[in-house]
Amino acid sequence: MRPRVDEVRIKGLGVIDEAVLKLSSGFTVVTGETGAGKTMVVTGLGLLFGGRADPARVRPGAERATVEGTLFVEQGGRVAQQVEDTGGEIEDGELIIARTVSTEGRSRAWLGGRSVPVGTLTYLAEDLVAVHGQMDQQRLLQPGRQRAALDRYAGEELVKPLRAYTQAYKRHREVGETLQELTTKARERAQEADHLRFGLEEIEKADPRAGEEAELRQEEERLAHADALKNAAVTAHSALLGDPMAAVQGLQDAVSLLGQARAAVEAVREYDTALSGIGDRLAEAGYLVSDVATELAAYSESVDADPARLAAVQERRALLNGLIRKYGQDSEAVLAWAKSAAVRVGELAGDDDRIAELSREHEELTARLTELAAELTNIRTAAAERFGAAVTAELTALAMPHARVVVVITPTGSFGPDGADDVELRMMSHPGAPALPLNKGASGGELSRVMLAIEVVFAGADPVPTFVFDEVDAGVGGKAAVEIGRRLARLARTSQVIVVTHLPQVAAFADQHLVVEKASDGSVVRSGVTALDPEGRARELSRMLAGLEDSALGRAHAEELLSIAAADKATAATPTGRPARGGRSAGASGKPAATGKSTGRS
């Protein structure tokens, strides 16, 4: 079973208040008066498959526009697998897709009941639908679009070499940019290397140690206050143990006082055990004070004013502080800078070798790109001949028997992201006419048929299940319109086709006819979509032909168009190519749908 769109629900989009479109598996046509909202049907389908969200499209008075679609997809197929990968669900082959657009421009999307990024719908649409609005003809005139169209037609044959080319081109560009930077910034790199070497030499000469500046700061403080430190130690020692060199003896020191206190307690400790513990603690205090006094004596001997050493320490500190100001917040940071600078100097010193290596790689990549670009050109040239011939054949069937489309491939002379080719579609309107670009060689109506011809060619090379066209017949009339209707009907034998049209000749070939009707209560305009029965089809075609639904002449002409379309589809649907029995009478009664669905679609 081929995937197809079964039903679309639109709410709050443009002039459409709320509408439900039940779509045929074959050729569905959408008609209606100007301003009724036919284009909103295509806009809704575009939104459903990831199209750009325009808040201006939200119906005035509505908070948001909502589009919901029901699709039939093959269980276990590619589309089903993509849905399952996103966490969505498919029930009995039915897939639900939804999209909302708020008046503030916020857009949300759901796939199989799961909220997904809008880009997921765009990715999914590649396997489901080709939507062509009125702006797509202008996009086709862009050179990049024309190259992409040819590459799409070339198919799998082009995929592998184009992928290899893209990878080589990316690396070629990276190598080229690096070479450019290395060769044009030689002076800056040399200056950077000199600066780094100077810093490394300065740090190496100073040879700092981690934590050295803190040690020096403490030593400087000790040396700068040596006399005060020595006097303090001597004074404290005297207070604790006395000064044997003092001229006046008999001063009470701490050790003597503690001795007196201990002696007093020892004399009476046997009378009370409480004093025994106090006596022991006094003894301990005496020993402790004696030890402290001894340490003070040793400290006072060790402290010595040394002006030479003080000057050396101050000089070393000044040297380290200079390094810290330049290279880091402390000696550890200075050492870290030196380590990273040494690595960078090595890198800069190796740039010459790197330039030579990159130059060799750049030459190899250039040769590789030249080879791959030539391969792409050869594949495109062969595909261009087939593509031009196929589109030309389709134009013959679309009442342009003398027109010819050619694809011109011109070398660009330089490598681009997609090769070294410029691709341009040109058309010769008649034999002997020059091949002109489409925007110069084709009128509006001819451009519409060229667009349709290209899509039909794509349908044969890389078919999608559903095609949506918005007024692909713009600027066309008469016999050409009949041929467009006939070709769309043929396309609908293998794909679902949905067309917005204003031409009765095209609408007559449809399997299903939907009309967008506009109603107004005087202040609010609303549009809805109605599926027409055979009688309704005849009336709508009569309106499209004569501007009057009940015109006898218009009615007769409408029935004639329906009869011709039914006979044509019946002839195309039979293996022998002969009209099926009853085909003409079915068309006359306005029932062409039965024969149009007989073969080629599931």
Side-chain angles (χ1 to χ4, degrees):
M1 178 186 70
R2 289 180 59 82
R4 68 177 180 88
V5 182
D6 179 60
E7 184 178 272
V8 178
R9 295 177 176 270
I10 300 174
K11 184 176 182 180
L13 184 64
V15 296
I16 297 179
D17 185 18
E18 188 169 2
V20 179
L21 288 74
K22 188 73 174 178
L23 300 173
S24 164
S25 60
F27 181 9
T28 297
V29 70
V30 181
T31 66
E33 294 182 358
T34 301
K38 300 187 297 297
T39 300
M40 289 300 102
V41 174
V42 177
T43 301
L45 287 167
L47 286 173
L48 202 60
F49 293 101
R52 187 178 69 88
D54 185 356
R57 294 291 191 180
V58 179
R59 179 177 173 80
E63 294 182 357
R64 64 183 59 84
T66 304
V67 184
E68 181 181 295
T70 302
L71 287 74
F72 289 138
V73 299
E74 181 182 4
Q75 293 282 7
R78 177 183 173 91
V79 173
Q81 184 61 50
Q82 291 174 338
V83 175
E84 292 174 2
D85 290 344
T86 64
E89 296 182 355
I90 298 176
E91 297 183 2
D92 299 327
E94 286 192 0
L95 170 64
I96 305 297
I97 302 177
R99 179 90 180 272
T100 63
V101 180
S102 71
T103 54
E104 292 82 12
R106 292 191 300 271
S107 178
R108 298 188 62 187
W110 290 265
L111 180 64
R114 183 68 175 267
S115 178
V116 296
V118 173
T120 302
L121 300 185
T122 305
Y123 178 71
L124 190 72
E126 295 178 1
D127 294 314
L128 287 175
V129 65
V131 180
H132 295 283
Q134 297 178 31
M135 293 302 296
D136 289 281
Q137 294 180 8
Q138 298 302 317
R139 296 191 186 102
L140 185 62
L141 301 179
Q142 300 172 6
R145 292 276 182 167
Q146 295 180 5
R147 181 204 52 74
L150 180 63
D151 287 356
R152 176 183 165 195
Y153 179 78
E156 290 298 325
E157 184 182 6
L158 189 73
V159 171
K160 187 175 180 180
L162 182 58
R163 184 183 299 118
Y165 175 90
T166 302
Q167 293 173 349
Y169 174 79
K170 181 179 179 181
R171 179 56 184 167
H172 183 268
R173 188 170 181 178
E174 291 173 352
V175 171
E177 291 175 350
T178 304
L179 273 174
Q180 179 75 9
E181 180 181 359
L182 291 176
T183 54
T184 58
K185 296 184 178 180
R187 178 177 297 178
E188 289 86 343
R189 291 186 293 106
Q191 291 175 346
E192 181 184 0
D194 288 343
H195 170 71
L196 293 174
R197 290 193 189 97
F198 176 82
L200 287 171
E201 291 174 2
E202 191 175 18
I203 294 172
E204 184 179 2
K205 184 177 179 180
D207 191 23
R209 292 182 294 103
E212 182 181 2
E213 71 274 13
E215 297 174 3
L216 291 173
R217 184 170 56 253
Q218 293 178 358
E219 185 177 2
E220 181 183 5
E221 290 289 332
R222 184 168 179 262
L223 290 170
H225 301 86
D227 292 340
L229 293 172
K230 188 177 184 68
N231 290 334
V234 170
T235 300
H237 177 272
S238 298
L240 295 179
L241 197 59
D243 184 1
M245 304 298 296
V248 180
Q249 299 294 327
L251 295 177
Q252 296 294 307
D253 55 76
V255 172
S256 298
L257 293 174
L258 285 172
Q260 294 176 11
R262 179 185 177 191
V265 171
E266 290 290 336
V268 294
R269 65 180 296 172
E270 61 183 286
Y271 303 123
D272 191 346
T273 56
L275 285 178
S276 177
I278 295 174
D280 293 341
R281 289 164 63 189
L282 285 171
E284 292 176 2
Y287 300 146
L288 177 61
V289 170
S290 295
D291 289 344
V292 171
T294 302
E295 291 182 9
L296 285 170
Y299 177 81
S300 65
E301 291 295 327
S302 67
V303 175
D304 189 15
D306 188 347
R309 176 58 185 168
L310 177 60
V313 169
Q314 291 174 337
E315 183 179 356
R316 179 66 175 173
R317 285 197 68 196
L319 177 63
L320 291 179
N321 287 334
L323 294 179
I324 290 171
R325 283 194 300 271
K326 293 180 182 179
Y327 307 112
Q329 60 187 9
D330 52 30
S331 56
E332 287 87 348
V334 171
L335 292 171
W337 182 92
K339 184 177 180 180
S340 63
V343 174
R344 178 58 178 160
V345 167
E347 293 175 352
L348 293 171
D351 277 350
D352 292 339
D353 294 336
R354 190 180 180 205
I355 288 174
E357 181 182 350
L358 288 175
S359 296
R360 287 192 298 270
E361 184 181 1
H362 194 264
E363 291 177 1
E364 293 172 358
L365 287 169
T366 300
R368 175 63 173 159
L369 280 178
T370 301
E371 178 184 344
L372 289 171
E375 184 179 359
L376 292 178
T377 299
N378 292 334
I379 295 174
R380 284 172 176 152
T381 300
E385 294 180 2
R386 300 194 306 272
F387 184 74
V391 174
T392 298
E394 286 297 328
L395 290 178
T396 299
L398 292 172
M400 295 176 64
H402 303 299
R404 182 185 173 198
V405 168
V406 295
V407 184
V408 178
I409 298 178
T410 307
T412 60
S414 61
F415 299 123
D418 302 292
D421 304 316
D422 275 337
V423 177
E424 185 176 45
L425 294 178
R426 298 181 184 178
M427 192 183 82
M428 294 179 287
S429 57
H430 56 82
L436 299 176
L438 292 181
N439 61 333
K440 297 180 180 179
S443 65
E446 289 173 335
L447 188 58
S448 296
R449 281 178 278 178
V450 171
M451 183 71 176
L452 177 58
I454 290 173
E455 283 304 326
V456 171
V457 170
F458 281 154
D462 183 22
V464 293
T466 300
F467 289 91
V468 181
F469 296 100
D470 183 12
E471 297 194 12
V472 71
D473 49 18
V476 178
K479 181 179 179 181
V482 174
E483 295 302 329
I484 289 179
R486 180 176 288 117
R487 197 59 190 87
L488 289 169
R490 287 173 56 192
L491 181 59
R493 294 204 298 272
T494 56
S495 299
Q496 183 183 35
V497 177
I498 304 168
V499 177
V500 174
T501 183
H502 65 284
L503 294 180
Q505 296 94 326
V506 173
F509 281 87
D511 300 321
Q512 181 190 40
H513 193 145
L514 303 178
V515 63
V516 181
E517 297 177 319
K518 180 170 62 174
S520 175
D521 61 3
S523 60
V524 179
V525 177
R526 293 183 174 86
S527 289
V529 180
T530 303
L532 299 181
D533 58 15
E535 177 65 23
R537 288 194 69 187
R539 285 175 57 83
E540 175 64 8
L541 290 183
S542 177
R543 181 198 65 77
M544 297 170 72
L545 285 163
L548 300 171
E549 294 88 340
D550 299 320
S551 167
L553 184 60
R555 179 61 177 261
H557 193 178
E559 291 182 353
E560 181 182 11
L561 281 177
L562 291 170
S563 178
I564 292 172
D568 185 88
K569 290 194 292 182
T571 300
T574 58
T576 62
R578 294 190 299 270
R581 176 181 296 180
R584 179 170 289 274
S585 62
S589 63
K591 298 180 181 179
T595 57
K597 298 181 181 179
S598 59
T599 62
R601 296 189 306 276
S602 58

